Amino acid sequence: MKISELTLFNNKAETAGIGLFLLLAVLPLVLGVLYALLYSLGLIGLISDGFTFSHWQRALSDQEFWLSILYTFYIALTTIAISITSALAASLYINKPLQKGIAGFSAYIPLAFPAIVVAFLAFQLGSQSGFFARLFFQFGIITDTAAFPEMVNDPFGIGIIAAHTFMAMPFFTLYFMSLYDQENISELSQVAQTLGASRTAQLRRIIVPIILKRAFPTLTLYTIFVMGSYEIPLILGRQTPQMMSVLVIRKLRRFSLSTIPEAYITALVFIAIILTILYLLFKSRTFSYDLDR
Amino acid sequence: MVTPLETKHISKSYGNERVLSDINLSLNSNETLSILGRSGCGKTTLLKVLGGLESPDGGTVFVNQTDIQTLQPQDRDVVYLYQEALLFPHLTVFENIAFGLRLRKIDEKKVSKRTHTMIRKLQLNGMADRMPDQLSGGQKQRVSFGRALITNPSVLLLDEPFGNLDAYTRSNMQELFKQIANDLTITAVFVTHNVKEAILMGDRIGSISEGGLTIYPSVEAFVESEKNGVQEEIEFWQSIDKNTN
C-alpha cells in the first residue's frame, strides 16, 4: 500500500514538474512564436490588414535578410572553430600550468566578463581611435591612427569574432581539461601508444575525437548562443551586414511600422534554422569522429 | 634461436623506495611467464618498464635480441594490456580491434579479413558494430585482447587483465587466452596477485618480493617456496577442508 502511495506521489511530482516546465519554459516561447507568425501573416498587429503573404514575400526577397543569415553563420562558425582549436591546444599543451597559480586563476577571469563589457573593451582596444592604434602611432609604426587596420566595425567581423573568442576560449579550455580527466584520455593515449600510435596519431585518432565527441552537445549549444548574441555584434559590428539578432531589433524599432512583420519573419526563420540544425545533428549521435576518416 | 624478451639488471626507485632491483629474465618464444606479487610490490612498474611507459634507473631491455631501451613505446613491438579494458569509446568493436592494423596502413581488405577472423576467435560474432558501452565486462576484455593480439606483437604484457571480472567470466577468459596465445604463438608476461591464476596461465612462474624477481624452475618449486604466499594459501584451504569434514 505504501509502495503504491509512494509511486503515486512520484507520478504527481513528475506531472507537476513537467507541467511547471511547460508553463514557464515552453508556453511563453510557443505563444511568442505564434504571435510572431500571426503578425507576419497580417492577422494581428497595428498594421494588420487581413491574411497576406506579402510580408513574407518582401522579407524573403530582401538581400539584406539572406546576407544576415550568411553573416551570422560565418561569425558563429569562425568563432567556434578558432575557440575550439586554441582551447584544444591550450588544454593539451599547457594544462599543467593552467591547473595552479596565477595562470590557473587567469583562465577563469574572462568568464567573469559580461558580453557588453567585453564588447566595450574590444572597441576601446581595437578601434582606429583606440589603445592599440594610439600605441602604434606613438611608436611611429603608423603615421596616422586612421592607418591602423580596421578591427572594429569592420566588414569581416574581426572585432566580433575576437570578442566572442575571448569569452569562449577559456571556457572551452577548462571544459576540455575536465573532459581529459573524466574520459581517462591519458591512459587511452598510452594504450594507443603501445599499439603503435605516434603522438600525432594519438591526437588525430584518440584524443581530439574523444574530446570533440563528448563536447559535442556543449559545442552545438555554444554555437547557437553565438548566433543569437546581441550586445557584441551591436557594438562591434557594421550597419550591414548585421547578425540576425541585431537585424531583428533594428527592424522592430524602426520609425516605419511596416518593417515589424519583417522583423518577426527574420526571428521565425532564425528559430526554424536552429531547430532544423538541432534535429539533424542530434538525430544520429553515434557517428564516428575519427579525423582520419 | 631468437629470445623474444630479455632483461638485464633492471632497477627502478621512486624517491628512496627501491621498487625493482637487479631484475633479470629471459623468455622463450610462445612462452608465458606468470609473475605473482602483492599489491604495490612492483609488478606493474616492471611491465611499464618493459613496455617503455616508465624509464628504469638502470639496466637494459632486449626484444628479439635488440636493445630497445631508447625506443619509444610505439616502436617497441610490445603491447601492454591493462586491468581495465580501456576500449576507445568513440570506436566500434571492429574499429577498436582493427586499430593497430590501421596505424600500420594495411590494405582495407586485409584489415577487414583479419579483424573479422579475430572477432570470431574471440567469440564476439555479431558484435562488430557495437559501441563499447553496449558490451559486458567480459566482452570488453575480449575486445581489448583482440586489439592487442591482432598486430601479432613480439611480446604481450598483461597487467592483471582479469582482475575486474567475476569468477566464471575470469575462468572463461583464462581458457580463451591460453588457446589464442597458443594459436598465435604469443610470448607474454602475465602479472597477477592470484596464486591459482599464476599457475594456470604461466608456462613458468615467478614472484616479485622486496624489489627482487625469483623465477622458479618448476611449478613444484613455486609451490614449495615460502616466499610467495602459496604455502599460506594451501594452509588456508586445508584448514577449511578440515573444518568442513
Side-chain angles (χ1 to χ4, degrees):
Chain A
M1 189 64 185
K2 272 184 182 177
I3 290 169
S4 67
E5 276 174 9
L6 195 64
T7 308
L8 192 66
F9 176 76
N10 278 346
N11 286 340
K12 269 184 183 172
E14 267 178 24
T15 310
I18 290 168
L20 203 63
F21 173 77
L22 291 173
L23 191 70
L24 296 177
V26 179
L27 187 65
L29 287 176
V30 172
L31 290 176
V33 169
L34 197 65
Y35 182 81
L37 188 66
L38 294 174
Y39 211 116
S40 72
L41 293 170
L43 294 171
I44 55 171
L46 291 168
I47 56 162
S48 168
D49 213 13
F51 181 80
T52 175
F53 280 122
S54 62
H55 302 307
W56 279 88
Q57 280 166 349
R58 199 166 56 243
L60 297 180
S61 59
D62 184 1
Q63 197 185 7
E64 190 183 26
F65 169 81
W66 295 106
L67 206 59
S68 174
I69 292 178
L70 289 176
Y71 189 66
T72 303
F73 271 96
Y74 157 72
I75 294 288
L77 295 178
T78 310
T79 300
I80 292 298
I82 295 172
S83 304
I84 289 175
T85 311
S86 45
L88 272 174
S91 62
L92 294 175
Y93 294 106
I94 53 167
N95 58 350
K96 281 186 183 155
L98 284 177
Q99 283 170 359
K100 57 188 175 188
I102 295 173
F105 179 69
S106 66
Y108 288 88
I109 294 175
L111 304 178
F113 281 65
I116 196 159
V117 176
V118 174
F120 272 118
L121 283 176
F123 189 86
Q124 284 171 346
L125 291 174
S127 70
Q128 287 181 324
S129 58
F131 176 78
F132 287 122
R134 286 165 199 273
L135 199 68
F136 275 51
F137 176 70
Q138 289 297 324
F139 280 115
I141 300 168
I142 50 176
T143 53
D144 182 4
T145 53
F148 189 74
E150 270 188 301
M151 293 203 293
V152 165
N153 307 129
D154 63 295
F156 300 107
I158 294 172
I160 302 173
I161 292 166
H164 273 306
T165 304
F166 172 80
M167 293 177 72
M169 192 235 170
F171 168 72
F172 285 138
T173 303
L174 295 168
Y175 181 50
F176 291 162
M177 279 166 58
S178 113
L179 284 182
Y180 193 90
D181 290 336
Q182 278 174 28
E183 296 296 305
N184 224 356
I185 288 178
S186 175
E187 285 198 316
L188 291 172
S189 295
Q190 280 196 345
V191 170
Q193 195 180 12
T194 70
L195 291 167
S198 63
R199 181 64 183 162
T200 313
Q202 290 166 48
L203 282 169
R204 287 166 62 88
R205 290 176 175 269
I206 303 299
I207 300 170
V208 173
I210 292 175
I211 290 180
L212 289 186
K213 184 171 185 180
R214 276 288 277 118
F216 179 76
T218 309
L219 295 176
T220 309
L221 293 176
Y222 204 96
T223 310
I224 293 168
F225 164 73
V226 175
M227 286 175 82
S229 67
Y230 179 69
E231 298 100 322
I232 288 176
L234 179 74
I235 293 167
L236 301 175
R238 277 197 156 191
Q239 192 66 14
T240 182
Q242 284 182 318
M243 286 183 74
M244 289 181 89
S245 50
V246 182
L247 183 70
V248 168
I249 298 297
R250 182 159 65 87
K251 286 192 170 181
L252 269 177
R253 290 183 178 172
R254 264 188 193 163
F255 183 73
S256 165
L257 297 177
S258 65
T259 60
I260 293 176
E262 284 180 48
Y264 284 128
I265 290 165
T266 310
L268 286 171
V269 171
F270 180 74
I271 291 167
I273 289 171
I274 298 299
L275 289 178
T276 310
I277 292 171
L278 283 177
Y279 174 73
L280 291 174
L281 289 178
F282 286 90
K283 195 171 68 167
S284 61
R285 288 283 311 281
T286 52
F287 55 87
S288 171
Y289 284 78
D290 192 330
L291 300 185
D292 274 7
R293 276 171 291 129
Chain B
M1 191 177 168
V2 175
T3 309
L5 179 68
E6 190 176 7
T7 68
K8 285 184 179 168
H9 313 298
I10 295 287
S11 63
K12 176 79 182 172
S13 298
Y14 292 114
N16 293 328
E17 192 189 349
R18 199 157 179 80
V19 182
L20 299 175
S21 173
D22 195 29
I23 303 286
N24 296 291
L25 64 85
S26 173
L27 259 74
N28 299 317
S29 184
N30 194 21
E31 184 181 38
T32 297
L33 172 69
S34 285
I35 297 181
L36 186 74
R38 295 190 175 92
S39 296
C41 72
K43 308 184 298 277
T44 297
T45 306
L46 175 61
L47 289 196
K48 289 197 167 176
V49 167
L50 298 177
L53 300 170
E54 291 271 1
S55 301
D57 298 334
T60 319
V61 180
F62 298 90
V63 168
N64 296 326
Q65 292 175 329
T66 305
D67 181 355
I68 59 159
Q69 201 52 58
T70 55
L71 295 183
Q72 291 289 311
Q74 62 265 33
D75 302 322
R76 292 187 170 211
D77 200 22
V78 173
V79 173
Y80 189 111
L81 209 63
Y82 288 74
Q83 185 169 7
E84 296 89 28
L86 288 176
L87 300 185
F88 303 131
H90 60 304
L91 300 180
T92 60
V93 166
F94 181 94
E95 287 302 332
N96 261 284
I97 294 175
F99 186 79
L101 300 179
R102 295 219 185 274
L103 288 174
R104 287 159 182 77
K105 310 249 182 267
I106 290 171
D107 174 63
E108 184 59 40
K109 277 184 187 166
K110 285 182 186 165
V111 170
S112 176
K113 192 179 169 196
R114 283 172 68 175
T115 309
H116 280 117
T117 306
M118 183 57 78
I119 287 174
R120 273 196 301 278
K121 268 189 204 297
L122 296 165
Q123 297 154 22
L124 290 169
N125 298 328
M127 296 185 187
D129 294 327
R130 286 200 190 173
M131 298 304 285
D133 58 7
Q134 296 172 306
L135 303 175
S136 69
Q139 288 166 342
K140 282 181 188 170
Q141 202 55 269
R142 279 169 200 237
V143 176
S144 177
F145 260 135
R147 186 177 60 181
L149 293 171
I150 199 159
T151 56
N152 210 1
S154 295
V155 179
L156 185 63
L157 307 171
L158 301 108
D159 190 357
E160 303 191 41
F162 310 134
N164 287 340
L165 303 178
D166 63 82
Y168 177 74
T169 314
R170 189 176 183 136
S171 169
N172 278 346
M173 288 297 294
Q174 286 164 346
E175 274 179 35
L176 185 73
F177 170 73
K178 291 212 77 156
Q179 186 192 325
I180 294 178
N182 251 335
D183 288 354
L184 301 177
T185 59
I186 294 290
T187 304
V189 180
F190 191 105
V191 150
T192 179
H193 60 254
N194 183 307
V195 173
K196 185 181 155 195
E197 190 166 72
I199 295 171
L200 275 173
M201 302 307 292
D203 300 307
R204 277 193 297 157
I205 306 169
S207 68
I208 292 187
S209 170
E210 293 170 1
L213 172 67
T214 309
I215 297 180
Y216 300 94
S218 63
V219 175
E220 290 75 23
F222 169 70
V223 171
E224 282 164 16
S225 170
E226 291 180 356
K227 282 169 66 180
N228 52 30
V230 178
Q231 286 301 324
E232 285 100 313
E233 186 125 347
I234 291 171
E235 281 165 23
F236 170 77
W237 287 110
Q238 281 174 342
S239 71
I240 295 272
D241 197 32
K242 274 180 199 165
N243 289 341
T244 50
N245 291 329

